[in-house]
Amino acid sequence: MAKRKWVTPDNHPWREAARRAAQQKARKGGRATVVGLALRSAGLRSRPSQRQETTKAQKGTFLTRFDSAPRARLTCFEVAGNIPLACGFFFAGMSDALVEGLLGWVAHPYGDSLKNALDTGWGARGIGRRAFLKGAGLAGMAAVIPARVTGAQETVPNTSGTERPTLKAPPLACDCHQHIFDPVRFPFPRPGTESDATVADYRLLQRRLGTTRNVIATPKEYVNDNRVTLDAIAQFAPNARGLASVDPSITDAELESLKKGGMNGVRFLLLGGDAAGTINKIQTLASRVNEMGWHIDFGISADQIIATEDLLMKFPAVIAIDHMARIPEPAGVNHPAYAIVRRLIDKGRTWVKLSLAGGDSKVGPPAYTDVVKLAQAYVQAAPERVVWGTNWPHPNEATKPDDAMIFDLLSEYAPDEATRHRILVENPAVLYGFAKS
């Protein structure tokens, strides 16, 4: 069969090496699959700034396919996103049980996290790290080849554990609280402590948990600069929404621009600040966003809820309260702030996020039994007013929790499958404006 050109130059040594490897496999009676990863726009450049050169047209595009020997197939496809792979080849038998070899060179700015993926992923297949690193850098390949293909456990940045949850996520399941940190492309306006937690990193978590949709809250390190969140929403489109960080003086035109970018709420982090002063200050803004069909998301402590009860009861917008309202344990449902949140819920304009499971737990992992009781109380009181979130990448948590374990807690929060579906799919569609199917 006549061969068609690869995207690599005709005289590129990888081309001949790939052909020889496939022919050797074919002579043994098997079939080899050779996958070449390339970015045409970035070429062999590896600087992090080149990530922006990837175009949507490249994503998932099959560039070249041809037979190079009997019963041997070579396929070259291109991956896009924020992963600036230069070029490389991965050889595997049909069973995918053995990696035959690796040639080429892979460049990636997220070196540490990808090395972890290499250690825990490909190392589990009995193939030494040194052998793979020799001349190739398989870390980049480990980051883009799905675990279901490689059969390996997968390390995800900013979370512990490698196992998938026992609980199966329903289609369109939504993580309603997470953040994106991308200081290389979007530097922090003020000093921040978080390292990279990019769209590419979060996709790994989605693959591990089985979730489809996500709600991205602009981190405090970005102050009122929402570009990192808008960029992430565009990459996840149409399966993401955002919570913007804004100044109360923001114009209607600026709000409309944020809305077009996928935002559908404004978040105010009140912890450690003047909660009453902020709530008073944003009354006019709250009325404006309420008319747009948005809501106000509050990061607020239990003590602040008690201090601002009157203001919250009269608040002119729909409210979402982060992290189970930060009710301290072991008081739990007996804390006076819980009773206030219940009254807010009963008014029909307040939602609670079942997120940050370990933030106020005294029991801790893996059981989190104290927080489980609190979450159960919210679910039993108003299953139509609760959503769930990871809080990935778990900012300010020195020890990153296992998000699969946190996801599995949903089976205790809501033992009934229909209720879990409501929490993960139906309620987010209502609060964040996702399509219902």
Side-chain angles (χ1 to χ4, degrees), residues 13-167:
W14 293 340
R15 183 180 178 187
E16 290 301 319
R19 184 183 295 108
R20 287 196 301 272
Q23 290 172 338
Q24 290 174 4
K25 182 71 176 179
R27 283 196 294 270
K28 295 178 182 179
R31 188 171 78 174
T33 299
V34 180
V35 178
L37 300 176
L39 291 182
R40 281 175 294 181
S41 60
L44 298 181
R45 291 170 290 189
S46 63
R47 296 189 302 275
S49 61
Q50 299 297 332
R51 283 179 286 179
Q52 299 181 57
E53 297 188 26
T54 303
T55 64
K56 291 182 179 179
Q58 294 172 309
K59 192 172 183 177
T61 303
F62 279 83
L63 299 178
T64 307
R65 174 177 291 178
F66 61 89
D67 290 333
S68 64
R71 301 182 66 189
R73 184 183 66 188
L74 289 89
T75 302
C76 182
F77 68 94
E78 189 166 13
V79 293
N82 284 333
I83 304 176
L85 292 171
C87 195
F89 298 107
F90 168 65
F91 307 88
M94 287 299 292
S95 68
D96 197 39
L98 178 65
V99 178
E100 298 271 301
L102 181 70
L103 299 170
W105 173 71
V106 179
H108 198 291
Y110 312 137
D112 292 340
S113 61
L114 293 176
K115 288 175 183 176
N116 290 337
L118 172 62
D119 287 336
T120 60
W122 296 100
R125 304 183 63 162
I127 302 167
R129 172 192 176 107
R130 181 175 299 178
F132 275 92
L133 287 176
K134 185 178 180 181
L138 186 55
M141 296 295 293
V144 296
I145 297 176
R148 63 179 177 272
V149 175
T150 66
Q153 292 178 337
E154 187 170 44
T155 296
V156 178
N158 300 298
T159 186
S160 62
T162 58
E163 298 288 345
R164 296 193 176 194
T166 301
L167 187 66

Side-chain angles (χ1 to χ4, degrees), residues 51-52 82 180-189 221-222 225-232 235:
R51 283 179 286 179
Q52 299 181 57
N82 284 333
I180 295 295
F181 293 82
D182 196 346
V184 173
R185 297 176 61 215
F186 302 99
F188 299 140
E221 283 82 355
Y222 284 100
D225 181 356
N226 293 287
R227 289 177 302 156
V228 66
T229 302
L230 291 168
D231 175 79
Q235 293 189 58

